[in-house]
Amino acid sequence: GAWSGTGTITLASGVKEQIRCRANNNVDGSGANLVLALRCASDSYKFDLQGNVTHNAGAVSGTWAELTHRVGGTITGSANANRVSVRVEGTIAAMLAVTTKGNQQQISIESPGSEMSEVAISMNRAVSASR
């Protein structure tokens, strides 16, 4: 589904900025495959993260690409109950955690040594208008 929210990004320089984000997550009919898209922007930085992941018996694996900076790689990790914890590797390495409770989602990205060293986002599921 569609999500939107705000948070904080910490750049490599130590500067912290407010960030605005939109996400769209689509799970296939089997519930095992997820296509995700997360777009975020602050005053001086933006990223457009896309991923394809598969969940099997608690293990998560797949690929990711960040379109703004043209980097990508692999995703490995675990999912249980309402939390997904993965390591993304490739041109950069990062830890990504997503916790979902009802219509709220917390996203945490830690990538020490990269331009975007830390991101914390609070998202809310978009509510479709009733007709």
Side-chain angles (χ1 to χ4, degrees), residues 15 25 27 43 51 71 93:
V15 171
N25 305 328
V27 179
D43 288 342
V71 295

Side-chain angles (χ1 to χ4, degrees), residues 49 64 73-76 86-90 92-96 109:
L49 182 64
W64 66 276
T74 60
I75 298 171
T76 55
V86 296
R87 178 172 177 82
V88 296
E89 294 182 293
I92 63 165
M95 297 301 294
L96 171 73
I109 304 170

Side-chain angles (χ1 to χ4, degrees), residues 74-126:
T74 60
I75 298 171
T76 55
S78 63
N80 55 46
N82 63 348
R83 184 173 173 86
V84 176
S85 298
V86 296
R87 178 172 177 82
V88 296
E89 294 182 293
T91 313
I92 63 165
M95 297 301 294
L96 171 73
V98 179
T99 304
T100 305
K101 290 184 180 174
N103 288 332
Q104 295 187 318
Q105 196 171 69
Q106 302 295 318
I107 300 172
S108 167
I109 304 170
E110 295 179 11
S111 184
S114 77
E115 188 178 356
M116 177 186 81
S117 64
E118 198 171 307
V119 179
I121 309 162
S122 295
M123 309 273 282
N124 290 301
R125 188 187 311 263

